[in-house]
Amino acid sequence: MSEPAQLLIAAKQFDESALSQIYDLYSHDLFRYAMRTLGHRQLAEECVGETFSKFLHALQRGKGPNSNLRAYLYRVAHNWMTDQFRSKRFDESELFEESWVVKDLGLSEKVDDEREEAQVRWAISKLTPDQRQVLILKFYEGWSNKDVAEALEKPLGAVKSLQHRALASMQRLLVKTGEGA
Amino acid sequence: MDMDKELENALNLLKEVPQRDEKTAVNAKAAFLKEAAQLKPFVQQQSVPQKGLGGWRFRLPSWPFNVESNVSRRVAMGLAVFVLLFFASTSGVMYAAGQSLPGDALYPVKRQTESVRLALSVNNDEKLLTSFIEIRLDEMDELASLMRYEDVKTAVNDYNTLKSEYLTVAKESEQAEAAIETWQHEVDLFIEELPEPIESIESGSDGDEPDSEVPTPIDETPEPVESEEPETDDEPIEEPEDGEEPEETAVPPESSEPEADEIIEDEDELPAPDCDALDNGCDEEPVPETVCEVDELLCEFEADFSCDPLEPQCMDLVEELLNELDGESVCDEFDEACEQFIDEWLGEQLDDFVDCDVESADCDDLGASEPDFDCDPSLEDCGFDDE
């Protein structure tokens, strides 16, 4: 597989192989990111599709990123999701409904895990979108503050404080629901 | 990320994401490639990218500014300008630049383009200058209607520069004289409209930065931009606006001090925030001191106003506020004026902000409507259904 930078150059010429590699490189991560943010499989797929489509259109207009394609794609995805939240396109109570517990455990363990996991999902859904984004990118995706700031187009200080408050909120929310008992 | 072990365990429950459906994924990729094939015939040439176009976070592209050697950088600069012009007809940037007004981020590009066109023209100077002058007049018109009087002054200065050039190249004729008279008459009308009298406008000493010869801005900007690259914060390049910031932040020291004291007093009741404990990266990389100082402010702020997470509007406010705070503290210099500004601003915000405890009556003052989350009766603080 070629270097990301070279891939990008080729992609701007709409080289099919490059575009294909880019899709393979990033689509699953984007799906995971969207899934974590939205907690809704269909919407997450839609997000991925829209993101890549916008990417193509930007390339066609001679725009698009010159570096750090990952941050760019995440930003586009983030913007799309934010738009959806703002225009209240969906009922937020529908989000995070699907159970995520994938491991096949003994019956009793599974029930406990499921309940706990449901609580965590609920708590995450209660965060403000900004906090959720930062929590996901930092904790689940393991990004640096700098990358998060770039992807979310926020100042670095805001990212740091969002992280702090996201964790504090999760703490309070989970304690209230008796998590960890 | 530094955090409570229990919390970490809880969050880890969601680490595994449900698998993407294979078939859907394959179809999605096919759709992507199909769309690419459809768009391919219509590809426009790459323009030099702009990030945050039109917003205050205007940032120049890293190339050619990050080219290492001075000589190569100049060559790269020249090439960049050439590339800009070469793709002028289809490039979105040139279109946007062409639409820009004095005071806009892209206006310098517009002016540079004009200069280059002049430089390249053979025996066409008079015509070009005429059209550029008329563009200035149009700009003055639009700016005046937007009441952007500071920027009108910039346009007038540019006009004066162009007018002198015109006088140099235009053959002496009745036509040329008449043209100058008409233009000057229009410009005088604009000058009259300005709320403040222009003292030095004829000498064109103010607002000349966007205006300078093509080599000068290119020479000057690499230094500040180059040092930006390793830093983590965006720094806007706001040449036309440089003159305005000191005015906004000039505040008598006395008024901001009491507010700074107030903040500290409130803090006595709460544990002093420890920036390090928040894993806010002050240690991570060589971040300039100023960023950490801003972080401290944010720490203090959080200590004072911890929002109840069940009140989403509350947290939105805080976030907005913090974004603005950091946004305003392009205060990377963190000089006195800047500090005062932050103190004053923070003080203002503190007045408006209410500790949005769910059970607090003040919450309603913020226009908080009924919360749209389901009030789980098992939650302690869910106080909406009683009292």
Side-chain angles (χ1 to χ4, degrees):
Chain A
M1 201 184 294
S2 337
E3 277 280 307
Q6 291 171 327
L7 272 185
L8 201 43
I9 295 175
K12 292 187 181 206
Q13 303 306 316
F14 275 71
D15 174 74
E16 186 174 335
S17 154
L19 287 172
S20 177
Q21 283 182 59
I22 285 179
Y23 192 87
D24 290 337
L25 261 178
Y26 298 114
S27 71
H28 291 292
D29 284 357
L30 278 177
F31 173 79
R32 221 179 48 224
Y33 173 49
M35 192 60 196
R36 284 185 171 135
T37 309
L38 298 169
H40 191 288
R41 188 186 289 274
Q42 224 175 318
L43 284 173
E45 281 291 352
E46 198 178 327
C47 176
V48 173
E50 285 297 308
T51 301
F52 277 104
S53 180
K54 284 181 200 279
F55 173 56
L56 285 177
H57 283 272
L59 289 183
Q60 181 255 319
R61 285 191 326 268
K63 303 214 165 186
N66 275 352
S67 64
N68 209 344
L69 176 56
R70 188 175 79 149
Y72 174 88
L73 289 173
Y74 270 72
R75 187 165 74 236
V76 173
H78 166 77
N79 287 344
W80 184 85
M81 289 191 277
T82 310
D83 262 348
Q84 302 301 307
F85 276 114
R86 283 215 188 105
S87 58
K88 303 223 181 278
R89 219 204 80 178
F90 44 73
D91 189 354
E92 283 193 38
S93 63
E94 286 172 12
L95 305 184
F96 292 97
E97 284 295 300
E98 178 182 338
S99 168
W100 284 19
V101 172
V102 282
K103 297 189 175 55
D104 200 10
L105 307 165
L107 188 65
S108 60
E109 280 175 15
K110 188 164 190 218
V111 168
D112 276 348
D113 257 357
E114 262 188 38
R115 182 181 19 214
E116 210 180 320
E117 180 235 320
Q119 283 165 352
V120 180
R121 271 190 286 120
W122 172 82
I124 286 194
S125 74
K126 283 300 161 199
L127 296 177
T128 64
D130 278 345
Q131 290 180 7
R132 195 181 314 137
Q133 293 290 350
V134 172
L135 178 66
I136 287 169
L137 288 173
K138 287 225 64 193
F139 180 82
Y140 291 108
E141 306 282 334
W143 284 23
S144 70
N145 282 333
K146 178 173 179 261
D147 280 346
V148 176
E150 199 178 325
L152 301 186
E153 276 185 323
K154 284 195 181 302
L156 197 68
V159 170
K160 294 171 186 173
S161 100
L162 279 168
Q163 172 190 313
H164 172 68
R165 296 211 312 288
L167 290 176
S169 304
M170 290 297 291
Q171 195 99 39
R172 275 174 287 189
L173 286 166
L174 292 175
V175 161
K176 280 190 202 312
T177 60
E179 184 277 332
Chain B
M1 276 172 78
D2 234 351
M3 68 174 89
D4 181 67
K5 198 64 189 156
E6 269 189 42
L7 178 60
E8 194 173 346
N9 290 340
L11 289 177
N12 274 328
L13 286 175
L14 294 190
K15 245 202 164 148
E16 293 280 333
V17 174
Q19 284 294 340
R20 201 177 172 195
D21 179 53
E22 273 293 328
K23 193 158 170 228
T24 317
V26 164
N27 288 341
K29 182 176 177 183
F32 167 70
L33 290 173
K34 184 173 168 197
E35 189 174 4
Q38 284 170 347
L39 289 175
K40 187 168 179 176
F42 303 104
V43 174
Q44 295 172 16
Q45 285 306 319
Q46 168 78 66
S47 59
V48 179
Q50 302 289 340
K51 192 168 160 184
L53 200 68
W56 65 272
R57 288 183 166 269
F58 176 67
R59 188 188 208 182
L60 292 172
S62 43
W63 184 89
F65 295 107
N66 59 5
V67 175
E68 288 292 317
S69 94
N70 272 332
V71 172
S72 307
R73 198 188 315 130
R74 300 250 168 118
V75 171
M77 289 294 178
L79 189 59
V81 174
F82 176 77
V83 165
L84 266 178
L85 294 177
F86 184 77
F87 296 124
S89 56
T90 55
S91 156
V93 171
M94 292 312 296
Y95 174 78
Q99 303 297 305
S100 63
L101 297 170
D104 290 346
L106 281 183
Y107 183 68
V109 174
K110 186 178 181 181
R111 287 289 289 127
Q112 280 176 29
T113 314
E114 290 174 5
S115 306
V116 176
R117 284 173 72 189
L118 265 178
L120 294 176
S121 89
V122 182
N123 286 335
N124 209 18
D125 290 12
E126 197 178 318
K127 231 170 136 191
L128 279 176
L129 285 165
T130 304
S131 95
F132 295 155
I133 287 177
E134 280 167 7
I135 291 177
R136 297 289 90 72
L137 293 175
D138 286 342
E139 287 166 359
M140 282 182 222
D141 195 25
E142 200 174 330
L143 287 169
S145 68
L146 295 168
M147 299 202 285
R148 285 168 57 174
Y149 297 119
E150 280 305 307
D151 296 328
V152 172
K153 291 183 195 172
T154 310
V156 173
N157 283 331
D158 287 357
Y159 157 81
N160 284 328
T161 311
L162 289 167
K163 187 177 84 169
S164 345
E165 282 182 50
Y166 181 84
L167 286 168
T168 343
V169 303
K171 289 164 283 213
E172 278 201 25
S173 65
E174 268 189 28
Q175 228 177 347
E177 280 188 36
I180 295 188
E181 249 191 67
T182 323
W183 296 329
Q184 191 60 54
H185 177 68
E186 274 196 56
V187 173
D188 289 338
L189 286 175
F190 283 118
I191 295 181
E192 273 177 32
E193 251 192 68
L194 295 175
E196 295 154 19
I198 308 175
E199 289 117 25
S200 52
I201 209 164
E202 287 307 312
S203 55
S205 53
D206 288 328
D208 243 320
E209 290 107 67
D211 228 5
S212 3
E213 303 298 317
V214 170
T216 320
I218 292 177
D219 283 352
E220 284 173 0
T221 45
E223 262 73 73
V225 176
E226 246 195 312
S227 61
E228 279 178 24
E229 289 310 312
E231 286 176 12
T232 50
D233 287 350
D234 284 2
E235 286 173 47
I237 310 225
E238 301 174 297
E239 288 189 72
E241 292 175 14
D242 267 346
E244 293 179 357
E245 286 221 17
E247 286 165 18
E248 287 177 7
T249 57
V251 174
E254 298 87 89
S255 64
S256 58
E257 273 171 34
E259 291 175 6
D261 285 345
E262 275 173 25
I263 300 173
I264 295 169
E265 274 170 21
D266 282 349
E267 236 207 298
D268 277 345
E269 303 162 10
L270 300 150
D274 184 3
C275 261
D276 291 342
L278 296 174
D279 181 38
N280 56 15
C282 272
D283 319 312
E284 269 171 22
E285 39 209 85
V287 172
E289 252 174 61
T290 53
V291 176
C292 278
E293 279 174 90
V294 173
D295 281 350
E296 262 155 43
L297 261 175
L298 294 176
C299 290
E300 283 170 32
F301 187 85
E302 278 183 60
D304 272 340
F305 295 92
S306 55
C307 243
D308 190 303
L310 297 181
E311 183 53 53
Q313 223 156 332
C314 199
M315 302 190 92
D316 277 345
L317 255 183
V318 175
E319 273 159 33
E320 230 181 71
L321 210 136
L322 290 172
N323 279 340
E324 272 188 57
L325 168 66
D326 216 60
E328 282 302 332
S329 68
V330 176
C331 263
D332 295 317
E333 308 299 320
F334 223 73
D335 58 8
E336 212 182 48
C338 210
E339 278 195 64
Q340 284 167 5
F341 175 74
I342 288 191
D343 282 343
E344 201 208 5
W345 182 86
L346 199 56
E348 278 173 29
Q349 303 305 319
L350 292 178
D351 279 342
D352 289 338
F353 189 87
V354 170
D355 186 358
C356 242
D357 189 324
V358 167
E359 286 162 17
S360 156
D362 290 333
C363 251
D364 297 332
D365 288 347
L366 286 179
S369 49
E370 282 294 298
D372 52 2
F373 57 89
D374 289 334
C375 205
D376 187 337
S378 69
L379 299 177
E380 282 173 14
D381 284 342
C382 188
F384 285 94
D385 35 356
D386 29 298
E387 275 137 57

